[in-house]
Amino acid sequence: MPSPGPTATPGGPGPTGSMPLSAHEPDAATLARSAEQAAGELLAPPAPVRLADVVPAPQQVEPDPAGDWLLPPDAVIVASADPAALTVAAHLAELLRPATGYPLPVTDTTRPAAGGIALVLNDDDSLGAEGYRLAVTRAGVTITAATATGLFHGVQTLRQLLPPAIESPAPVTERWMLPGGTITDAPRFSYRGAMLDVARHFFDVEDVLRVVDHLARYKLNHLHLHLTDDQGWRIAVDSWPRLTTVGGATEVGGGPGGHYTKADYRRIVSYAAARHVTVIPEIDLPGHTNAALVAYPELAPDKVAPPPYTGTEVGFSYVDPADERTYDFIADVLGEIAALTPGPWLHIGGDEAFKVKGAVYTGFVERTQRIVADTGKTVVGWHQLAPAAHVDGRVLQWWGTNGEDPATLEAVRRGARLILSPGNHAYLDMKYDPDTPLGQDWAGLIDVRRAYDWDPGSHVTGVPDAAVLGVEAPLWTESVTSLAEIEFMLLPRLPAIAELGWSPRATHDWAAFRDRLAGHGPRWAAAGIAFHPAPDVPWPAAPPLPAPRAATESTPRRR
Ligand code: TNX
């Protein structure tokens, strides 16, 4: 594939195809202004939000029109006197203050919240580690949960029940009405994630934090960062410093690349943790390692440094599986990454190592799996790891395009669990349609319906629901160069994958999903978030825009 270079920045919806974001990365103010304008167009007249409009669809919704409640300017947010619950309350206040302009003080009294919003921790764990109950009555809103994570998910639901203008970064005159009734909710799968490839193109910390926000909105609870590849090594490793100083200085198309310092990375991890999102770092081995070999030729099979790589081919590079030094390198790197990782998982890649075959590949993987176990973490890898021996807790990320996979099935029989990322449904780097200016099509075109219409519980033949840990939507970034382009590829498909991971199968219904999803266009527009106005979604009051303009030439991206 030729290097695509920058493409037109996607626009949001608008009746005339307005929201013309510039051909290059727009500055935040431009993006926000155009989005606000589009939001203004979309918001007139505002349709009332219904209790059942939430994405992902809740387990149970019982509307009670007599319970509609208008958020008053003097509303107070009350939370259980627990630090984690209070943090969620503070987060809610921060979400609601900009658009309402209300002070929304947070208190830690356990008094009932008359005329306010209460976040209450209780002992009822019948809704599991992430469930919550949300009740809107004429007296206010109460969210109850057994955990702060449950309260946090309830807050995301509450946000969606307010009018779309709640996403505005500046005060808006609006009736902040919430629909009455009760929602009882808990996820179908415990693992719901997205992957961002920061190796093919590097993205700043701020961009990653914004992606975390998008995950949290849709109750996704894992961010997988693809930190290393042929085109760049993005995470500082003190014991092998040239990985970033040399290996981090390139990216697809010849741009400057970049890397995260450990402080940067910790910032991402803690920002994610505050949003109940666990970060999974991936160090891709033994293939996809050209950047590491440029930095440390001793790891290369011929001990010669290859030239830096800024193209988009795969499968040509590998660390020397026959050299002990390689395993020292892996132990050092994974040891330092594990120390940066509060979550349980380390992802070791394992895909497309076309030049390391058979027993050599399996032996390499088994040894690397043991190194992960020595760090105290649990191994995750692409499903190519399947033939290697099982280790406790092993998770395979399945990215096939055909549900018949005997090797993966056999690994599941030996105890592996699966994260499902079927290439032809969940790969958000695939184009929406033939005219999408970004992305690839090797796994097919993925419109919103295709992203939505599959069942993780029965997708891989012979793999039972119980062996499925959950779902993940990967975004590879060979052709994606800016935050606006990330958002254009994620939205509106990410909510489709989120719904497959969260909602009971019984709620699965394309026509209903499409209608609920449509209500999110005005929210994204109001928040200044770019998205693809996909024609298979009935966006309110606005015909779909033409797709963004295709790139005609390759120039270095503006940073
Ligand atoms: C396959 S999926 C890859 C990546 C590419 C992607 C592009 C997987 C584990 N490997 O190296 O970026 O296709 O769609």
Side-chain angles (χ1 to χ4, degrees), residues 197 200 226 229 288 314 351-352 382 384 399 427 429-430 440 442 476-478:
D197 170 8
R200 270 49 178 275
H226 182 74
D229 214 303
H288 291 276
V314 297
D351 57 315
E352 299 171 327
W382 299 107
Q384 280 67 35
W399 58 284
Y427 263 37
D429 63 319
M430 292 303 126
Q440 312 210 36
W442 66 260
W476 302 98
T477 60
E478 284 93 337

mmCIF file with all atom_site columns, all heavy atoms in Angstrom, residues 197 200 226 229 288 314 351-352 382 384 399 427 429-430 440 442 476-478, ligand 1:
data_model
loop_
_atom_site.group_PDB
_atom_site.id
_atom_site.type_symbol
_atom_site.label_atom_id
_atom_site.label_alt_id
_atom_site.label_comp_id
_atom_site.label_asym_id
_atom_site.label_entity_id
_atom_site.label_seq_id
_atom_site.pdbx_PDB_ins_code
_atom_site.Cartn_x
_atom_site.Cartn_y
_atom_site.Cartn_z
_atom_site.occupancy
_atom_site.B_iso_or_equiv
_atom_site.pdbx_formal_charge
_atom_site.auth_seq_id
_atom_site.auth_comp_id
_atom_site.auth_asym_id
_atom_site.auth_atom_id
_atom_site.pdbx_PDB_model_num
ATOM   1   N N   . ASP A 1 197 ? -3.212  1.971   17.586 1.00 0.00 ? 197 ASP A N   1
ATOM   2   C CA  . ASP A 1 197 ? -1.851  1.736   17.089 1.00 0.00 ? 197 ASP A CA  1
ATOM   3   C C   . ASP A 1 197 ? -1.131  3.087   17.116 1.00 0.00 ? 197 ASP A C   1
ATOM   4   O O   . ASP A 1 197 ? -1.421  3.959   16.296 1.00 0.00 ? 197 ASP A O   1
ATOM   5   C CB  . ASP A 1 197 ? -1.982  1.164   15.665 1.00 0.00 ? 197 ASP A CB  1
ATOM   6   C CG  . ASP A 1 197 ? -0.663  1.080   14.912 1.00 0.00 ? 197 ASP A CG  1
ATOM   7   O OD1 . ASP A 1 197 ? 0.405   1.322   15.509 1.00 0.00 ? 197 ASP A OD1 1
ATOM   8   O OD2 . ASP A 1 197 ? -0.720  0.762   13.698 1.00 0.00 ? 197 ASP A OD2 1
ATOM   9   N N   . ARG A 1 200 ? 2.474   3.013   14.078 1.00 0.00 ? 200 ARG A N   1
ATOM   10  C CA  . ARG A 1 200 ? 2.512   3.380   12.644 1.00 0.00 ? 200 ARG A CA  1
ATOM   11  C C   . ARG A 1 200 ? 2.513   4.898   12.513 1.00 0.00 ? 200 ARG A C   1
ATOM   12  O O   . ARG A 1 200 ? 3.279   5.473   11.747 1.00 0.00 ? 200 ARG A O   1
ATOM   13  C CB  . ARG A 1 200 ? 1.333   2.755   11.904 1.00 0.00 ? 200 ARG A CB  1
ATOM   14  C CG  . ARG A 1 200 ? 1.616   1.378   11.322 1.00 0.00 ? 200 ARG A CG  1
ATOM   15  C CD  . ARG A 1 200 ? 2.253   0.401   12.315 1.00 0.00 ? 200 ARG A CD  1
ATOM   16  N NE  . ARG A 1 200 ? 2.456   -0.903  11.732 1.00 0.00 ? 200 ARG A NE  1
ATOM   17  C CZ  . ARG A 1 200 ? 1.530   -1.872  11.676 1.00 0.00 ? 200 ARG A CZ  1
ATOM   18  N NH1 . ARG A 1 200 ? 0.348   -1.697  12.246 1.00 0.00 ? 200 ARG A NH1 1
ATOM   19  N NH2 . ARG A 1 200 ? 1.816   -3.021  11.103 1.00 0.00 ? 200 ARG A NH2 1
ATOM   20  N N   . HIS A 1 226 ? -0.951  -0.416  21.074 1.00 0.00 ? 226 HIS A N   1
ATOM   21  C CA  . HIS A 1 226 ? 0.023   -1.127  20.235 1.00 0.00 ? 226 HIS A CA  1
ATOM   22  C C   . HIS A 1 226 ? 1.256   -0.222  20.177 1.00 0.00 ? 226 HIS A C   1
ATOM   23  O O   . HIS A 1 226 ? 1.314   0.712   19.382 1.00 0.00 ? 226 HIS A O   1
ATOM   24  C CB  . HIS A 1 226 ? -0.592  -1.361  18.856 1.00 0.00 ? 226 HIS A CB  1
ATOM   25  C CG  . HIS A 1 226 ? 0.271   -2.126  17.915 1.00 0.00 ? 226 HIS A CG  1
ATOM   26  N ND1 . HIS A 1 226 ? 0.491   -3.479  18.021 1.00 0.00 ? 226 HIS A ND1 1
ATOM   27  C CD2 . HIS A 1 226 ? 0.977   -1.720  16.827 1.00 0.00 ? 226 HIS A CD2 1
ATOM   28  C CE1 . HIS A 1 226 ? 1.294   -3.880  17.045 1.00 0.00 ? 226 HIS A CE1 1
ATOM   29  N NE2 . HIS A 1 226 ? 1.607   -2.829  16.308 1.00 0.00 ? 226 HIS A NE2 1
ATOM   30  N N   . ASP A 1 229 ? 6.257   -1.269  16.675 1.00 0.00 ? 229 ASP A N   1
ATOM   31  C CA  . ASP A 1 229 ? 6.093   -1.928  15.370 1.00 0.00 ? 229 ASP A CA  1
ATOM   32  C C   . ASP A 1 229 ? 7.303   -1.586  14.515 1.00 0.00 ? 229 ASP A C   1
ATOM   33  O O   . ASP A 1 229 ? 8.241   -0.934  14.993 1.00 0.00 ? 229 ASP A O   1
ATOM   34  C CB  . ASP A 1 229 ? 4.766   -1.532  14.707 1.00 0.00 ? 229 ASP A CB  1
ATOM   35  C CG  . ASP A 1 229 ? 4.184   -2.699  13.909 1.00 0.00 ? 229 ASP A CG  1
ATOM   36  O OD1 . ASP A 1 229 ? 4.890   -3.202  13.013 1.00 0.00 ? 229 ASP A OD1 1
ATOM   37  O OD2 . ASP A 1 229 ? 3.057   -3.127  14.191 1.00 0.00 ? 229 ASP A OD2 1
ATOM   38  N N   . HIS A 1 288 ? 7.389   -7.619  13.575 1.00 0.00 ? 288 HIS A N   1
ATOM   39  C CA  . HIS A 1 288 ? 7.027   -6.204  13.751 1.00 0.00 ? 288 HIS A CA  1
ATOM   40  C C   . HIS A 1 288 ? 8.058   -5.473  14.615 1.00 0.00 ? 288 HIS A C   1
ATOM   41  O O   . HIS A 1 288 ? 7.707   -4.644  15.449 1.00 0.00 ? 288 HIS A O   1
ATOM   42  C CB  . HIS A 1 288 ? 5.629   -6.082  14.388 1.00 0.00 ? 288 HIS A CB  1
ATOM   43  C CG  . HIS A 1 288 ? 4.517   -6.522  13.473 1.00 0.00 ? 288 HIS A CG  1
ATOM   44  N ND1 . HIS A 1 288 ? 3.951   -5.691  12.534 1.00 0.00 ? 288 HIS A ND1 1
ATOM   45  C CD2 . HIS A 1 288 ? 3.871   -7.711  13.352 1.00 0.00 ? 288 HIS A CD2 1
ATOM   46  C CE1 . HIS A 1 288 ? 2.990   -6.344  11.884 1.00 0.00 ? 288 HIS A CE1 1
ATOM   47  N NE2 . HIS A 1 288 ? 2.934   -7.570  12.359 1.00 0.00 ? 288 HIS A NE2 1
ATOM   48  N N   . VAL A 1 314 ? 4.112   -5.693  6.022  1.00 0.00 ? 314 VAL A N   1
ATOM   49  C CA  . VAL A 1 314 ? 4.267   -6.385  7.311  1.00 0.00 ? 314 VAL A CA  1
ATOM   50  C C   . VAL A 1 314 ? 5.013   -7.697  7.093  1.00 0.00 ? 314 VAL A C   1
ATOM   51  O O   . VAL A 1 314 ? 5.136   -8.176  5.967  1.00 0.00 ? 314 VAL A O   1
ATOM   52  C CB  . VAL A 1 314 ? 2.889   -6.706  7.952  1.00 0.00 ? 314 VAL A CB  1
ATOM   53  C CG1 . VAL A 1 314 ? 2.127   -5.443  8.276  1.00 0.00 ? 314 VAL A CG1 1
ATOM   54  C CG2 . VAL A 1 314 ? 2.074   -7.621  7.046  1.00 0.00 ? 314 VAL A CG2 1
ATOM   55  N N   . ASP A 1 351 ? 1.794   -11.731 16.025 1.00 0.00 ? 351 ASP A N   1
ATOM   56  C CA  . ASP A 1 351 ? 1.184   -11.815 14.693 1.00 0.00 ? 351 ASP A CA  1
ATOM   57  C C   . ASP A 1 351 ? 2.225   -11.672 13.589 1.00 0.00 ? 351 ASP A C   1
ATOM   58  O O   . ASP A 1 351 ? 3.270   -11.050 13.776 1.00 0.00 ? 351 ASP A O   1
ATOM   59  C CB  . ASP A 1 351 ? 0.135   -10.698 14.527 1.00 0.00 ? 351 ASP A CB  1
ATOM   60  C CG  . ASP A 1 351 ? 0.753   -9.311  14.745 1.00 0.00 ? 351 ASP A CG  1
ATOM   61  O OD1 . ASP A 1 351 ? 1.512   -9.146  15.718 1.00 0.00 ? 351 ASP A OD1 1
ATOM   62  O OD2 . ASP A 1 351 ? 0.498   -8.403  13.921 1.00 0.00 ? 351 ASP A OD2 1
ATOM   63  N N   . GLU A 1 352 ? 1.900   -12.234 12.460 1.00 0.00 ? 352 GLU A N   1
ATOM   64  C CA  . GLU A 1 352 ? 2.608   -11.998 11.196 1.00 0.00 ? 352 GLU A CA  1
ATOM   65  C C   . GLU A 1 352 ? 4.132   -12.119 11.301 1.00 0.00 ? 352 GLU A C   1
ATOM   66  O O   . GLU A 1 352 ? 4.868   -11.386 10.636 1.00 0.00 ? 352 GLU A O   1
ATOM   67  C CB  . GLU A 1 352 ? 2.239   -10.605 10.640 1.00 0.00 ? 352 GLU A CB  1
ATOM   68  C CG  . GLU A 1 352 ? 0.762   -10.486 10.351 1.00 0.00 ? 352 GLU A CG  1
ATOM   69  C CD  . GLU A 1 352 ? 0.308   -9.070  9.998  1.00 0.00 ? 352 GLU A CD  1
ATOM   70  O OE1 . GLU A 1 352 ? 0.866   -8.088  10.518 1.00 0.00 ? 352 GLU A OE1 1
ATOM   71  O OE2 . GLU A 1 352 ? -0.640  -8.959  9.209  1.00 0.00 ? 352 GLU A OE2 1
ATOM   72  N N   . TRP A 1 382 ? -1.991  -12.094 19.998 1.00 0.00 ? 382 TRP A N   1
ATOM   73  C CA  . TRP A 1 382 ? -2.840  -12.361 18.836 1.00 0.00 ? 382 TRP A CA  1
ATOM   74  C C   . TRP A 1 382 ? -2.994  -13.872 18.695 1.00 0.00 ? 382 TRP A C   1
ATOM   75  O O   . TRP A 1 382 ? -2.167  -14.643 19.201 1.00 0.00 ? 382 TRP A O   1
ATOM   76  C CB  . TRP A 1 382 ? -2.234  -11.725 17.580 1.00 0.00 ? 382 TRP A CB  1
ATOM   77  C CG  . TRP A 1 382 ? -2.110  -10.224 17.706 1.00 0.00 ? 382 TRP A CG  1
ATOM   78  C CD1 . TRP A 1 382 ? -0.955  -9.520  17.881 1.00 0.00 ? 382 TRP A CD1 1
ATOM   79  C CD2 . TRP A 1 382 ? -3.159  -9.260  17.679 1.00 0.00 ? 382 TRP A CD2 1
ATOM   80  N NE1 . TRP A 1 382 ? -1.224  -8.169  17.963 1.00 0.00 ? 382 TRP A NE1 1
ATOM   81  C CE2 . TRP A 1 382 ? -2.579  -7.979  17.841 1.00 0.00 ? 382 TRP A CE2 1
ATOM   82  C CE3 . TRP A 1 382 ? -4.554  -9.341  17.530 1.00 0.00 ? 382 TRP A CE3 1
ATOM   83  C CZ2 . TRP A 1 382 ? -3.331  -6.801  17.867 1.00 0.00 ? 382 TRP A CZ2 1
ATOM   84  C CZ3 . TRP A 1 382 ? -5.292  -8.155  17.541 1.00 0.00 ? 382 TRP A CZ3 1
ATOM   85  C CH2 . TRP A 1 382 ? -4.691  -6.912  17.709 1.00 0.00 ? 382 TRP A CH2 1
ATOM   86  N N   . GLN A 1 384 ? -2.307  -16.021 16.695 1.00 0.00 ? 384 GLN A N   1
ATOM   87  C CA  . GLN A 1 384 ? -1.203  -16.827 16.150 1.00 0.00 ? 384 GLN A CA  1
ATOM   88  C C   . GLN A 1 384 ? -0.458  -17.562 17.270 1.00 0.00 ? 384 GLN A C   1
ATOM   89  O O   . GLN A 1 384 ? 0.236   -18.538 17.032 1.00 0.00 ? 384 GLN A O   1
ATOM   90  C CB  . GLN A 1 384 ? -0.231  -15.945 15.357 1.00 0.00 ? 384 GLN A CB  1
ATOM   91  C CG  . GLN A 1 384 ? -0.698  -15.632 13.948 1.00 0.00 ? 384 GLN A CG  1
ATOM   92  C CD  . GLN A 1 384 ? -1.929  -14.768 13.899 1.00 0.00 ? 384 GLN A CD  1
ATOM   93  O OE1 . GLN A 1 384 ? -2.121  -13.889 14.735 1.00 0.00 ? 384 GLN A OE1 1
ATOM   94  N NE2 . GLN A 1 384 ? -2.774  -15.015 12.920 1.00 0.00 ? 384 GLN A NE2 1
ATOM   95  N N   . TRP A 1 399 ? -8.382  -12.350 15.469 1.00 0.00 ? 399 TRP A N   1
ATOM   96  C CA  . TRP A 1 399 ? -8.626  -11.300 14.472 1.00 0.00 ? 399 TRP A CA  1
ATOM   97  C C   . TRP A 1 399 ? -8.915  -11.896 13.098 1.00 0.00 ? 399 TRP A C   1
ATOM   98  O O   . TRP A 1 399 ? -8.828  -11.215 12.074 1.00 0.00 ? 399 TRP A O   1
ATOM   99  C CB  . TRP A 1 399 ? -7.475  -10.302 14.411 1.00 0.00 ? 399 TRP A CB  1
ATOM   100 C CG  . TRP A 1 399 ? -6.098  -10.855 14.087 1.00 0.00 ? 399 TRP A CG  1
ATOM   101 C CD1 . TRP A 1 399 ? -5.286  -11.535 14.932 1.00 0.00 ? 399 TRP A CD1 1
ATOM   102 C CD2 . TRP A 1 399 ? -5.376  -10.735 12.854 1.00 0.00 ? 399 TRP A CD2 1
ATOM   103 N NE1 . TRP A 1 399 ? -4.098  -11.857 14.303 1.00 0.00 ? 399 TRP A NE1 1
ATOM   104 C CE2 . TRP A 1 399 ? -4.129  -11.373 13.025 1.00 0.00 ? 399 TRP A CE2 1
ATOM   105 C CE3 . TRP A 1 399 ? -5.658  -10.142 11.618 1.00 0.00 ? 399 TRP A CE3 1
ATOM   106 C CZ2 . TRP A 1 399 ? -3.165  -11.439 12.008 1.00 0.00 ? 399 TRP A CZ2 1
ATOM   107 C CZ3 . TRP A 1 399 ? -4.705  -10.217 10.604 1.00 0.00 ? 399 TRP A CZ3 1
ATOM   108 C CH2 . TRP A 1 399 ? -3.468  -10.857 10.809 1.00 0.00 ? 399 TRP A CH2 1
ATOM   109 N N   . TYR A 1 427 ? -12.463 -4.458  12.857 1.00 0.00 ? 427 TYR A N   1
ATOM   110 C CA  . TYR A 1 427 ? -11.259 -3.697  12.507 1.00 0.00 ? 427 TYR A CA  1
ATOM   111 C C   . TYR A 1 427 ? -11.653 -2.304  12.037 1.00 0.00 ? 427 TYR A C   1
ATOM   112 O O   . TYR A 1 427 ? -12.075 -2.101  10.894 1.00 0.00 ? 427 TYR A O   1
ATOM   113 C CB  . TYR A 1 427 ? -10.463 -4.448  11.421 1.00 0.00 ? 427 TYR A CB  1
ATOM   114 C CG  . TYR A 1 427 ? -9.345  -5.259  12.012 1.00 0.00 ? 427 TYR A CG  1
ATOM   115 C CD1 . TYR A 1 427 ? -9.521  -5.904  13.233 1.00 0.00 ? 427 TYR A CD1 1
ATOM   116 C CD2 . TYR A 1 427 ? -8.104  -5.364  11.381 1.00 0.00 ? 427 TYR A CD2 1
ATOM   117 C CE1 . TYR A 1 427 ? -8.485  -6.638  13.807 1.00 0.00 ? 427 TYR A CE1 1
ATOM   118 C CE2 . TYR A 1 427 ? -7.076  -6.095  11.950 1.00 0.00 ? 427 TYR A CE2 1
ATOM   119 C CZ  . TYR A 1 427 ? -7.275  -6.726  13.157 1.00 0.00 ? 427 TYR A CZ  1
ATOM   120 O OH  . TYR A 1 427 ? -6.252  -7.443  13.725 1.00 0.00 ? 427 TYR A OH  1
ATOM   121 N N   . ASP A 1 429 ? -9.927  0.100   11.215 1.00 0.00 ? 429 ASP A N   1
ATOM   122 C CA  . ASP A 1 429 ? -9.123  0.724   10.155 1.00 0.00 ? 429 ASP A CA  1
ATOM   123 C C   . ASP A 1 429 ? -9.650  0.333   8.773  1.00 0.00 ? 429 ASP A C   1
ATOM   124 O O   . ASP A 1 429 ? -9.140  0.832   7.762  1.00 0.00 ? 429 ASP A O   1
ATOM   125 C CB  . ASP A 1 429 ? -7.640  0.366   10.274 1.00 0.00 ? 429 ASP A CB  1
ATOM   126 C CG  . ASP A 1 429 ? -7.361  -1.116  10.109 1.00 0.00 ? 429 ASP A CG  1
ATOM   127 O OD1 . ASP A 1 429 ? -8.152  -1.935  10.653 1.00 0.00 ? 429 ASP A OD1 1
ATOM   128 O OD2 . ASP A 1 429 ? -6.367  -1.477  9.460  1.00 0.00 ? 429 ASP A OD2 1
ATOM   129 N N   . MET A 1 430 ? -10.677 -0.540  8.711  1.00 0.00 ? 430 MET A N   1
ATOM   130 C CA  . MET A 1 430 ? -11.265 -0.847  7.410  1.00 0.00 ? 430 MET A CA  1
ATOM   131 C C   . MET A 1 430 ? -12.145 0.333   6.982  1.00 0.00 ? 430 MET A C   1
ATOM   132 O O   . MET A 1 430 ? -12.764 0.997   7.818  1.00 0.00 ? 430 MET A O   1
ATOM   133 C CB  . MET A 1 430 ? -12.123 -2.126  7.491  1.00 0.00 ? 430 MET A CB  1
ATOM   134 C CG  . MET A 1 430 ? -11.307 -3.376  7.718  1.00 0.00 ? 430 MET A CG  1
ATOM   135 S SD  . MET A 1 430 ? -10.053 -3.651  6.453  1.00 0.00 ? 430 MET A SD  1
ATOM   136 C CE  . MET A 1 430 ? -8.596  -3.811  7.483  1.00 0.00 ? 430 MET A CE  1
ATOM   137 N N   . GLN A 1 440 ? -8.110  0.788   5.106  1.00 0.00 ? 440 GLN A N   1
ATOM   138 C CA  . GLN A 1 440 ? -7.759  -0.331  4.239  1.00 0.00 ? 440 GLN A CA  1
ATOM   139 C C   . GLN A 1 440 ? -9.030  -1.109  3.902  1.00 0.00 ? 440 GLN A C   1
ATOM   140 O O   . GLN A 1 440 ? -10.089 -0.830  4.448  1.00 0.00 ? 440 GLN A O   1
ATOM   141 C CB  . GLN A 1 440 ? -6.815  -1.262  4.992  1.00 0.00 ? 440 GLN A CB  1
ATOM   142 C CG  . GLN A 1 440 ? -5.659  -0.525  5.672  1.00 0.00 ? 440 GLN A CG  1
ATOM   143 C CD  . GLN A 1 440 ? -4.426  -1.391  5.768  1.00 0.00 ? 440 GLN A CD  1
ATOM   144 O OE1 . GLN A 1 440 ? -4.141  -2.176  4.871  1.00 0.00 ? 440 GLN A OE1 1
ATOM   145 N NE2 . GLN A 1 440 ? -3.697  -1.258  6.852  1.00 0.00 ? 440 GLN A NE2 1
ATOM   146 N N   . TRP A 1 442 ? -8.530  -4.844  3.183  1.00 0.00 ? 442 TRP A N   1
ATOM   147 C CA  . TRP A 1 442 ? -8.166  -6.255  3.034  1.00 0.00 ? 442 TRP A CA  1
ATOM   148 C C   . TRP A 1 442 ? -9.142  -7.185  3.751  1.00 0.00 ? 442 TRP A C   1
ATOM   149 O O   . TRP A 1 442 ? -9.317  -8.329  3.348  1.00 0.00 ? 442 TRP A O   1
ATOM   150 C CB  . TRP A 1 442 ? -6.719  -6.524  3.484  1.00 0.00 ? 442 TRP A CB  1
ATOM   151 C CG  . TRP A 1 442 ? -6.468  -6.319  4.957  1.00 0.00 ? 442 TRP A CG  1
ATOM   152 C CD1 . TRP A 1 442 ? -5.901  -5.224  5.526  1.00 0.00 ? 442 TRP A CD1 1
ATOM   153 C CD2 . TRP A 1 442 ? -6.756  -7.231  6.025  1.00 0.00 ? 442 TRP A CD2 1
ATOM   154 N NE1 . TRP A 1 442 ? -5.836  -5.385  6.897  1.00 0.00 ? 442 TRP A NE1 1
ATOM   155 C CE2 . TRP A 1 442 ? -6.344  -6.607  7.225  1.00 0.00 ? 442 TRP A CE2 1
ATOM   156 C CE3 . TRP A 1 442 ? -7.324  -8.510  6.105  1.00 0.00 ? 442 TRP A CE3 1
ATOM   157 C CZ2 . TRP A 1 442 ? -6.480  -7.202  8.483  1.00 0.00 ? 442 TRP A CZ2 1
ATOM   158 C CZ3 . TRP A 1 442 ? -7.457  -9.105  7.346  1.00 0.00 ? 442 TRP A CZ3 1
ATOM   159 C CH2 . TRP A 1 442 ? -7.038  -8.465  8.518  1.00 0.00 ? 442 TRP A CH2 1
ATOM   160 N N   . TRP A 1 476 ? -5.802  0.304   13.595 1.00 0.00 ? 476 TRP A N   1
ATOM   161 C CA  . TRP A 1 476 ? -4.439  0.387   13.051 1.00 0.00 ? 476 TRP A CA  1
ATOM   162 C C   . TRP A 1 476 ? -4.316  1.717   12.339 1.00 0.00 ? 476 TRP A C   1
ATOM   163 O O   . TRP A 1 476 ? -5.289  2.198   11.765 1.00 0.00 ? 476 TRP A O   1
ATOM   164 C CB  . TRP A 1 476 ? -4.197  -0.782  12.091 1.00 0.00 ? 476 TRP A CB  1
ATOM   165 C CG  . TRP A 1 476 ? -4.385  -2.113  12.757 1.00 0.00 ? 476 TRP A CG  1
ATOM   166 C CD1 . TRP A 1 476 ? -5.505  -2.898  12.703 1.00 0.00 ? 476 TRP A CD1 1
ATOM   167 C CD2 . TRP A 1 476 ? -3.455  -2.792  13.612 1.00 0.00 ? 476 TRP A CD2 1
ATOM   168 N NE1 . TRP A 1 476 ? -5.312  -4.028  13.469 1.00 0.00 ? 476 TRP A NE1 1
ATOM   169 C CE2 . TRP A 1 476 ? -4.068  -3.987  14.032 1.00 0.00 ? 476 TRP A CE2 1
ATOM   170 C CE3 . TRP A 1 476 ? -2.169  -2.504  14.060 1.00 0.00 ? 476 TRP A CE3 1
ATOM   171 C CZ2 . TRP A 1 476 ? -3.448  -4.895  14.882 1.00 0.00 ? 476 TRP A CZ2 1
ATOM   172 C CZ3 . TRP A 1 476 ? -1.540  -3.408  14.897 1.00 0.00 ? 476 TRP A CZ3 1
ATOM   173 C CH2 . TRP A 1 476 ? -2.172  -4.587  15.302 1.00 0.00 ? 476 TRP A CH2 1
ATOM   174 N N   . THR A 1 477 ? -3.115  2.289   12.342 1.00 0.00 ? 477 THR A N   1
ATOM   175 C CA  . THR A 1 477 ? -3.027  3.686   11.904 1.00 0.00 ? 477 THR A CA  1
ATOM   176 C C   . THR A 1 477 ? -2.044  3.906   10.747 1.00 0.00 ? 477 THR A C   1
ATOM   177 O O   . THR A 1 477 ? -1.435  4.960   10.650 1.00 0.00 ? 477 THR A O   1
ATOM   178 C CB  . THR A 1 477 ? -2.636  4.588   13.092 1.00 0.00 ? 477 THR A CB  1
ATOM   179 O OG1 . THR A 1 477 ? -1.369  4.158   13.607 1.00 0.00 ? 477 THR A OG1 1
ATOM   180 C CG2 . THR A 1 477 ? -3.675  4.545   14.188 1.00 0.00 ? 477 THR A CG2 1
ATOM   181 N N   . GLU A 1 478 ? -1.922  2.913   9.872  1.00 0.00 ? 478 GLU A N   1
ATOM   182 C CA  . GLU A 1 478 ? -1.086  3.144   8.685  1.00 0.00 ? 478 GLU A CA  1
ATOM   183 C C   . GLU A 1 478 ? -1.533  4.396   7.944  1.00 0.00 ? 478 GLU A C   1
ATOM   184 O O   . GLU A 1 478 ? -0.713  5.155   7.424  1.00 0.00 ? 478 GLU A O   1
ATOM   185 C CB  . GLU A 1 478 ? -1.172  1.946   7.725  1.00 0.00 ? 478 GLU A CB  1
ATOM   186 C CG  . GLU A 1 478 ? -0.385  0.726   8.162  1.00 0.00 ? 478 GLU A CG  1
ATOM   187 C CD  . GLU A 1 478 ? -1.228  -0.259  8.970  1.00 0.00 ? 478 GLU A CD  1
ATOM   188 O OE1 . GLU A 1 478 ? -2.249  0.163   9.556  1.00 0.00 ? 478 GLU A OE1 1
ATOM   189 O OE2 . GLU A 1 478 ? -0.856  -1.451  9.021  1.00 0.00 ? 478 GLU A OE2 1
HETATM 190 C C1  . TNX B 2 .   ? -2.875  -6.844  10.345 1.00 0.00 ? 1   TNX B C1  1
HETATM 191 S S1  . TNX B 2 .   ? -4.110  -7.666  12.829 1.00 0.00 ? 1   TNX B S1  1
HETATM 192 C C2  . TNX B 2 .   ? -2.010  -6.583  11.385 1.00 0.00 ? 1   TNX B C2  1
HETATM 193 C C3  . TNX B 2 .   ? -1.430  -5.252  11.527 1.00 0.00 ? 1   TNX B C3  1
HETATM 194 C C4  . TNX B 2 .   ? -1.875  -4.318  10.457 1.00 0.00 ? 1   TNX B C4  1
HETATM 195 C C5  . TNX B 2 .   ? -3.327  -4.552  10.164 1.00 0.00 ? 1   TNX B C5  1
HETATM 196 C C6  . TNX B 2 .   ? -3.881  -3.594  9.169  1.00 0.00 ? 1   TNX B C6  1
HETATM 197 C C7  . TNX B 2 .   ? -2.680  -7.899  13.220 1.00 0.00 ? 1   TNX B C7  1
HETATM 198 C C8  . TNX B 2 .   ? -2.496  -8.608  14.448 1.00 0.00 ? 1   TNX B C8  1
HETATM 199 N N1  . TNX B 2 .   ? -1.735  -7.464  12.391 1.00 0.00 ? 1   TNX B N1  1
HETATM 200 O O1  . TNX B 2 .   ? -0.028  -5.329  11.562 1.00 0.00 ? 1   TNX B O1  1
HETATM 201 O O2  . TNX B 2 .   ? -1.658  -3.021  10.892 1.00 0.00 ? 1   TNX B O2  1
HETATM 202 O O3  . TNX B 2 .   ? -3.496  -5.852  9.692  1.00 0.00 ? 1   TNX B O3  1
HETATM 203 O O4  . TNX B 2 .   ? -5.255  -3.764  9.018  1.00 0.00 ? 1   TNX B O4  1
#
